[in-house]
Amino acid sequence: DDDNRYQIPLSNEIQLKGHIKIVSSLAVDNAGARVLSGSYDYTVRMYDFQGMNSRLQSFRQIEPSEGHQVRSLSWSPTSGHFLCVTGSAQAKIFDRDGLTLGEFMKGDMYIRDLKNTKGHICGLTCGEWHPRTKETVLTSSEDGSLRIWDVNNFLSQTQVIKPKLARPGRVPVTTCAWDREGKRIAGGVGDGSIQIWSLKPGWGSRPDIYVGKAHTDDITSVKFSSDGRILLSRSFDGSLKQIILTGTSVEKDSTTGGLLCFYDRTKLEIVQKVGISPTSSVVQCAWHPRLNQIFATSGDKSQGGTHILYDPTQSERGACVCVARAPRKKSVDDYQPEPVIHNPHALPLFRDAPSRKRQREKALKDPIKAHKPEIPMTGPGHGGRVGTTGSSLLTQYLLKQGGMIKETWMEEDPREAILKYAEVAVKDPKFIAPAYSQTQPETIFAKSDDEEEE
């Protein structure tokens, strides 16, 4: 079939959303299980095909360097770690779950010779992990150098590479790449040149291959072919040199949006164009060999996403897995109890004794405690309140006011009040004396001491 001669998986498409600005970097691990997308919103989002459903949400979001755009992401050969390059001068290494393992050293910006600094002194532009060695990474920077690092030593680089320049100065290195075997390094320099270095004993900064005017503008990407025979490059000058798959930018006053363009490698003829976004440029793209799925990032100042193109009949795993896994619909019988939170330190037993000042402030806010007691009323009283009386009960007050209770104990002497009953008790005993009247012996009183003395 001539229409599908190149077997490009284009029949279906999904989009990984979440970023609020343009997605500038993309990395898919070797197994095709996890996708990393970095954006100008300073964050990296991590997607896992096996854990995603059709909502296509990221399982983790990290901010590598606060206030710095993410420019490049790269997985290690074992896919156990990844390199993150931002606009800062220090690249970072993360593990597969997004936890920070280390940050490379920053150089001394006051040392003029870049070979004597222990790290980059300006913002990074690109970075890539060695394709075979899990301890080696490569970075390029605006300070005009490429550096090779050992991930086991974050304090200093193992090699500094200074590109060949037509005249002395500091020209940024805009992009870099390893070849498939990790034996050569390619760098795109700000003067439009492409330079290639071979890693061999005693090698230095002099490039083995120097292409002086490869492009007339900044080089945005370089990639080696799988057989290592062809180097692919892309630039702001609008030209494509020896490239198979590339994305295009949106130009002013143009009706065409961001495209994915496919070229025949031997003839360099365009074979397919795919529209990705009508208003946004395509920044990064990748065709994963195992999944047979095409990834393309795009976005603008307000949103960003990663488009994934696939064909259910030709592609494997990846997007095919999570799209088929639709989210479960909620049932009316679903019930989830509220979690019981145990916080023993909130109990009164564990609390510190409140200060007196705080107790006073609390008492002032209490309407009952802060209420001023009412002054006792004098006189008959009004408004439901009883005036000052000698009695405490309302009933006694009313009876006394009506003349039914006469209190005489306050005016008379207590001794006299008791003695007035003595004469009555002798004449008419009521309780004790009548009970013993028949058996009571005759009382004999002792004589006074006065009589004995006489």
Side-chain angles (χ1 to χ4, degrees):
D1 187 359
D2 291 340
D3 294 338
N4 198 23
R5 181 172 36 149
Y6 297 94
Q7 295 187 343
I8 302 174
L10 302 175
S11 60
N12 297 62
E13 179 184 0
I14 62 172
Q15 185 177 3
L16 307 178
K17 297 182 179 180
H19 292 289
I20 57 174
K21 288 189 177 181
I22 189 168
V23 181
S24 56
S25 54
L26 170 73
V28 189
D29 67 354
N30 295 327
R34 289 198 172 175
V35 181
L36 304 173
S37 64
S39 170
Y40 280 4
D41 62 6
Y42 317 134
T43 64
V44 173
R45 285 186 175 267
M46 306 179 68
Y47 301 87
D48 187 89
F49 284 125
Q50 297 296 328
M52 277 196 304
N53 55 22
S54 60
R55 288 199 183 100
L56 306 177
Q57 295 176 338
S58 61
F59 73 91
R60 180 155 296 166
Q61 178 182 356
I62 56 178
E63 186 173 355
S65 294
E66 186 177 354
H68 289 285
Q69 300 169 344
V70 181
R71 294 183 174 176
S72 182
L73 295 165
S74 178
W75 284 101
S76 66
T78 59
S79 301
H81 307 87
F82 67 87
L83 168 71
C84 179
V85 170
T86 63
S88 71
Q90 297 170 274
K92 282 189 175 183
I93 302 292
F94 295 85
D95 70 0
R96 186 173 176 81
D97 295 321
L99 301 177
T100 307
L101 298 179
E103 184 179 39
F104 291 119
M105 185 81 175
K106 184 179 181 180
D108 188 347
M109 60 186 299
Y110 297 105
I111 297 177
R112 185 163 183 81
D113 190 355
L114 294 176
K115 282 187 175 292
N116 296 328
T117 62
K118 295 183 178 180
H120 290 292
I121 61 173
C122 293
L124 302 175
T125 57
C126 188
E128 193 170 295
W129 209 295
H130 193 286
R132 298 294 175 89
T133 309
K134 61 181 181 180
E135 293 88 10
T136 307
V137 296
L138 171 69
T139 57
S140 60
S141 169
E142 295 169 353
D143 62 11
S145 68
L146 297 96
R147 294 172 194 256
I148 299 176
W149 303 82
D150 187 344
V151 297
N152 297 319
N153 179 20
F154 291 96
L155 299 179
S156 180
Q157 71 275 329
T158 58
Q159 182 78 23
V160 181
I161 307 169
K162 294 169 65 177
K164 176 183 176 181
L165 299 175
R167 60 178 183 273
R170 186 167 289 179
V171 181
V173 181
T174 56
T175 185
C176 61
W178 295 95
D179 73 344
R180 189 71 175 268
E181 300 296 324
K183 295 180 179 179
R184 287 180 295 178
I185 294 172
V189 188
D191 59 3
S193 67
I194 294 177
Q195 305 182 29
I196 301 175
W197 295 266
S198 297
L199 276 66
K200 53 192 175 183
W203 69 287
S205 292
R206 183 174 294 277
D208 294 279
I209 300 176
Y210 175 82
V211 182
K213 295 182 179 179
H215 291 279
T216 58
D217 206 336
D218 286 350
I219 301 168
T220 57
S221 179
V222 290
K223 294 290 178 185
F224 282 94
S225 62
S226 57
D227 58 8
R229 294 174 52 219
I230 296 177
L231 179 71
L232 321 172
S233 65
R234 179 176 182 267
S235 169
F236 279 138
D237 63 7
S239 65
L240 313 171
K241 304 293 176 67
Q242 302 286 335
I243 200 158
I244 308 300
L245 167 67
T246 185
T248 65
S249 303
V250 175
E251 298 181 2
K252 290 183 178 180
D253 303 327
S254 174
T255 57
T256 307
L259 305 174
L260 270 180
C261 300
F262 298 84
Y263 283 80
D264 188 327
R265 170 176 166 175
T266 55
K267 302 177 183 178
L268 287 182
E269 295 177 354
I270 192 163
V271 297
Q272 186 84 35
K273 283 185 180 181
V274 180
I276 296 297
S277 175
T279 58
S280 304
S281 304
V282 176
V283 183
Q284 292 279 341
C285 57
W287 191 338
H288 198 275
R290 288 193 181 183
L291 303 181
N292 193 22
Q293 296 174 18
I294 298 168
F295 297 78
T297 68
S298 65
D300 50 29
K301 294 181 180 179
S302 61
Q303 63 175 350
T306 302
H307 297 258
I308 303 177
L309 304 175
Y310 65 99
D311 190 321
T313 59
Q314 300 179 18
S315 304
E316 297 179 5
R317 301 197 307 272
C320 302
V321 175
C322 57
V323 170
R325 192 184 297 122
R328 175 182 174 274
K329 294 182 180 179
K330 289 188 176 181
S331 170
V332 293
D333 298 323
D334 286 354
Y335 169 71
Q336 185 175 1
E338 293 294 329
V340 180
I341 301 174
H342 299 280
N343 186 6
H345 296 286
L347 298 175
L349 176 65
F350 296 97
R351 291 179 186 165
D352 296 331
S355 63
R356 292 190 175 183
K357 181 180 179 182
R358 185 165 294 180
Q359 284 180 327
R360 286 197 304 270
E361 292 175 353
K362 189 176 180 181
L364 288 173
K365 293 179 181 178
D366 189 342
I368 297 176
K369 291 184 178 180
H371 180 65
K372 183 181 178 182
E374 295 179 344
I375 301 173
M377 294 185 65
T378 57
H382 65 275
R385 292 182 61 199
V386 179
T388 306
T389 64
S391 303
S392 60
L393 298 177
L394 177 61
T395 307
Q396 293 178 349
Y397 170 75
L398 294 175
L399 290 173
K400 189 164 56 175
Q401 291 294 101
M404 299 177 68
I405 295 179
K406 292 183 179 180
E407 295 181 352
T408 58
W409 58 269
M410 296 182 69
E411 286 85 13
E412 62 183 349
D413 184 43
R415 185 172 181 274
E416 293 178 359
I418 295 173
L419 289 175
K420 72 181 179 180
Y421 294 102
E423 191 176 339
V424 178
V426 173
K427 291 180 180 180
D428 188 17
K430 291 182 178 181
F431 302 106
I432 299 174
Y436 299 98
S437 60
Q438 301 297 327
T439 60
Q440 188 72 17
E442 187 178 351
T443 56
I444 299 173
F445 296 100
K447 294 180 180 181
S448 64
D449 295 339
D450 297 339
E451 293 177 355
E452 292 180 355
E453 288 176 0
E454 292 177 354

